[in-house]
Amino acid sequence: MKWIGAEQINDRLDYPSLVAWLEAAHGSEIDAMDDLLLSQSHTDGQTQHFLVRAAWQSKLGVGAKLVTVFPDNQTRGLPSVQGLYVLFGAEDGRPLACLDGTALTLWKTAADSALGAKHLAREDAKRLLMVGAGAMAPHLIQAHLAVRPSIESVWIWNRTPRRAVRLADSLAGLRTSIHPTTDLEQAVRDADIVSCATMATAPLILGEWLKPGTHLDLVGAFTPDMREADDTAIRRAKIFVDSRETTVAHIGELCIPIRNGVISVTDILADHFELCRGIHPGRLSPADITLFKNGGGGHLDLMTARFILDRADRKNP
């Protein structure tokens, strides 16, 4: 069994090829997947999580990711999200690889959102706003740039402004201009793509700020009580998800407004399986506000782990 660490993963992946792989992999059904989420309230008021995501796809194999989410780890100099992924063979169930789960999650999550933007963001999008400046943010920025080369500027907002400045400085070598901002409302009003990766439980993005044609990429909320966008945003937008099974009934971004009658399940227009197979065309009008809820899922971890292993095998025969 191979060990594939973060350095190997970061060295061997690029977003154009990973997004293309995910798009192709959605052409096949997932045979089975399930999640286990355990949560504990910490004495400092933060909630810590342990998540197990498993999936089985007859062509790719069987795998499970074990992840901890400790939001206050940033004060310790550690990532908020850490984990491992174990991949087993499709034919004989043999353990094939153990992968760094943190690096896999970062690449998988960003490519997931980029695949959504490929189908839903305007092709002439010029201004990207990144809301949040954690470990996920630089990956999301680079993934969106990979599928929308039209982007000319990136703006970064964070609750702690110095972290936005630090991230902007670290990305100074990208092909586009990078700017920190402290005015979230104006940044949202000006943006063509808004990508959010926060630990917010109350909405940060107000629907009244979204101009026609905006694509809203929501990454952060992953529990039933978490939200990044308000009811107005949900009501105004054409709503898409990466997987109906892992989002609609499980994530506050959708299940709260559904429960409150703001939207219904039928307002979820398509997921990646339908978008990638051409069952739904994606964006229908330049004026549409599109919303993509990135919920992740064990199937995406499995797809990404298989891609990483195949690349490792090619580079180290």
Side-chain angles (χ1 to χ4, degrees), residues 104-237:
L104 182 147
T105 298
L106 292 170
W107 281 91
K108 176 266 298 186
T109 304
D112 183 12
S113 281
L115 181 56
K118 179 179 178 181
H119 289 277
L120 301 172
R122 289 175 57 131
E123 292 189 4
D124 62 351
K126 291 181 171 55
R127 190 173 179 124
L128 168 66
L129 169 63
M130 184 69 237
V131 180
M136 196 66 249
H139 282 267
L140 284 163
I141 290 169
Q142 293 176 75
H144 282 299
L145 289 174
V147 298
R148 282 294 174 266
S150 58
I151 293 173
E152 297 175 351
S153 65
V154 176
W155 297 75
I156 303 169
W157 180 91
N158 193 71
R159 287 187 189 275
T160 306
R162 68 175 179 276
R163 296 191 65 206
V165 173
R166 190 182 308 134
L167 177 57
D169 289 343
S170 73
L171 297 174
L174 293 181
R175 61 165 178 80
T176 185
S177 61
I178 312 286
H179 311 274
T181 179
T182 57
D183 190 339
L184 179 60
E185 177 180 349
Q186 191 59 52
V188 173
R189 290 185 182 276
D190 292 339
D192 300 308
I193 300 174
V194 178
S195 184
C196 300
T198 71
M199 291 290 182
T201 54
L204 290 169
I205 307 300
L206 304 188
E208 66 188 58
W209 299 345
L210 299 169
K211 67 182 180 183
T214 300
H215 175 62
L216 180 57
D217 169 44
L218 300 177
V219 180
F222 61 93
T223 69
D225 63 344
M226 297 177 77
R227 295 188 69 177
E228 293 183 304
D230 71 352
D231 285 347
T232 302
I234 299 293
R235 191 182 295 113
R236 292 185 67 197

Side-chain angles (χ1 to χ4, degrees), residues 76-96:
R76 304 182 179 98
L78 295 171
S80 298
V81 181
Q82 301 177 89
L84 294 171
Y85 191 89
V86 183
L87 177 65
F88 300 84
E91 294 183 0
D92 55 13
R94 178 171 50 93
L96 298 178

